């Protein structure tokens, strides 16, 4: 049978050249619904497997992905976008964002107008800034872990998966915000993120605990300083216009 898309000979269910699925006859409701269900459940299985393995063995999972075992896992870019969107949605629905601004205004009432503008800016562009901040991490991790034979692209994939998983920590820690306030969740979040990054680096780079702890801590400290500074500069530029 000839592929209707590219004209290549089709032997199996899918064209080996372009991936077009071979069809017989016209579209009907039953096969169409099966395709939709298959796409949904395959996505769910991939997401669940990715989330579970990044929770249980992040370093080893990314090493497997880089070794070519990509089928069981969601693409790192897609996983990051989904995690960022979910975290932003939960932050808005839970009232965390508004509470953050109210606490900041209460501590510094004379800057209430600027803080409100800052909140509006971060609420509108947070996902974009989160994605734009990601490229900083691979350069930092490669600088600190340069003794390990890992390319910059592999650093990017590793940090994308870890970065996405870290964003989910906010959802896990949300009950602490509801019970004890914003200060507690911020403290626990930063401690959890730093600890998780060290653990992921230990499994991925396969270095000693102390060496990994020092390097990972420096990477996270430099990243947070750079990212926070970049957000502040961007907000000032936007608000000044």
């Amino acid at each position: 049978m000839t592929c209707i898309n590219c004209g290549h000979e089709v032997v199996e269910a899918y064209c080996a050249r372009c991936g077009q699925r071979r069809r017989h006859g016209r579209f009907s409701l039953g096969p169409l619904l099966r395709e939709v269900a298959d796409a949904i459940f395959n996505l769910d299985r991939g997401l669940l497997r990715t989330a579970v393995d990044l929770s249980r063995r992040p370093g080893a999972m990314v090493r497997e992905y880089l070794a070519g075992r990509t089928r069981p896992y969601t693409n790192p870019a897609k996983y990051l976008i989904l995690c960022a969107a979910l975290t932003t949605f939960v932050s808005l629905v839970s009232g965390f964002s508004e509470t953050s601004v109210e606490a900041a205004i209460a501590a510094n009432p004379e800057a209430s107008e600027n803080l409100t503008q800052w909140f509006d800016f971060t609420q509108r562009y947070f996902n974009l800034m989160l994605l734009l901040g990601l490229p900083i991490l691979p350069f930092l991790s490669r600088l600190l872990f340069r003794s390990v034979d890992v390319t910059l692209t592999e650093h990017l994939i590793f940090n994308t998966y870890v970065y996405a998983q870290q964003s989910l920590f906010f959802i896990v820690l949300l009950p602490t915000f509801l019970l004890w306030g914003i200060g507690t969740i911020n403290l626990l979040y930063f401690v959890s993120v730093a600890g998780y990054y060290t653990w992921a680096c230990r499994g991925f780079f396969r270095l000693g605990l102390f060496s990994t702890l020092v390097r990972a801590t420096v990477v996270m400290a430099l990243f947070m300083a750079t990212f926070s500074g970049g957000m502040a500069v961007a907000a000032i530029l936007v608000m000044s216009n």
Side-chain angles (χ1 to χ4, degrees):
M1 185 176 179
T2 302
C3 176
I4 195 172
N5 183 53
C6 68
H8 186 68
E9 182 180 357
V10 181
V11 179
E12 303 292 339
Y14 293 88
C15 175
R17 176 180 292 175
C18 70
Q20 170 69 44
R21 184 171 184 170
R22 185 173 67 175
R23 294 187 176 277
H24 298 281
R26 303 175 67 174
F27 278 91
S28 58
L29 184 60
L32 180 62
L33 292 177
R34 282 195 295 272
E35 285 186 23
V36 172
D38 183 64
I40 292 173
F41 290 120
N42 279 337
L43 176 63
D44 286 346
R45 283 198 296 271
L47 281 173
L48 181 60
R49 178 68 178 274
T50 304
V52 170
D53 280 7
L54 283 173
S55 300
R56 294 174 55 246
R57 49 188 195 94
M61 179 239 138
V62 180
R63 292 188 71 90
E64 288 180 7
Y65 185 89
L66 294 177
R69 191 165 178 256
T70 60
R71 185 172 178 79
Y73 303 112
T74 303
N75 175 276
K78 182 188 294 185
Y79 188 66
L80 173 61
I81 292 171
L82 291 172
C83 290
L86 178 61
T87 302
T88 303
F89 173 76
V90 172
S91 175
L92 294 174
V93 170
S94 66
F96 176 82
S97 300
E98 290 85 351
T99 303
S100 301
V101 177
E102 291 171 0
I105 292 175
N108 194 9
E110 63 274 10
S112 59
E113 183 177 351
N114 290 334
L115 290 171
T116 302
Q117 290 179 335
W118 165 258
F119 167 70
D120 292 337
F121 172 79
T122 54
Q123 186 179 39
R124 184 177 304 176
Y125 299 108
F126 182 76
N127 274 346
L128 177 61
M129 290 186 294
L130 191 67
L131 297 177
L132 292 177
L134 173 63
I136 302 171
L137 269 173
F139 288 99
L140 292 175
S141 65
R142 190 176 189 189
L143 177 66
L144 271 297
F145 291 93
R146 59 183 178 274
S147 60
V148 184
D149 184 20
V150 178
T151 68
L152 183 60
T153 302
E154 292 169 340
H155 276 278
L156 176 61
I157 293 172
F158 166 72
N159 282 285
T160 300
Y161 272 126
V162 173
Y163 198 54
Q165 193 73 1
Q166 286 172 326
S167 70
L168 298 180
F169 286 14
F170 168 77
I171 300 175
V172 175
L173 294 171
L174 187 60
T176 64
F177 160 67
L178 301 175
L179 291 173
W180 297 298
I182 192 170
T184 302
I185 189 174
N186 283 338
L187 175 62
L188 291 177
Y189 178 77
F190 287 118
V191 171
S192 301
V193 164
Y196 178 78
Y197 192 76
T198 302
W199 178 40
C201 286
R202 177 90 188 277
F204 183 71
F205 297 111
R206 296 177 177 176
L207 296 175
L209 177 59
F210 180 75
S211 176
T212 303
L213 177 62
V214 172
R215 300 182 196 206
T217 301
V218 174
V219 169
M220 291 303 300
L222 291 175
F223 171 72
M224 289 180 180
T226 305
F227 183 66
S228 300
M231 283 184 63
V233 171
I236 291 171
L237 292 175
V238 170
M239 289 187 294
S240 63
N241 295 328

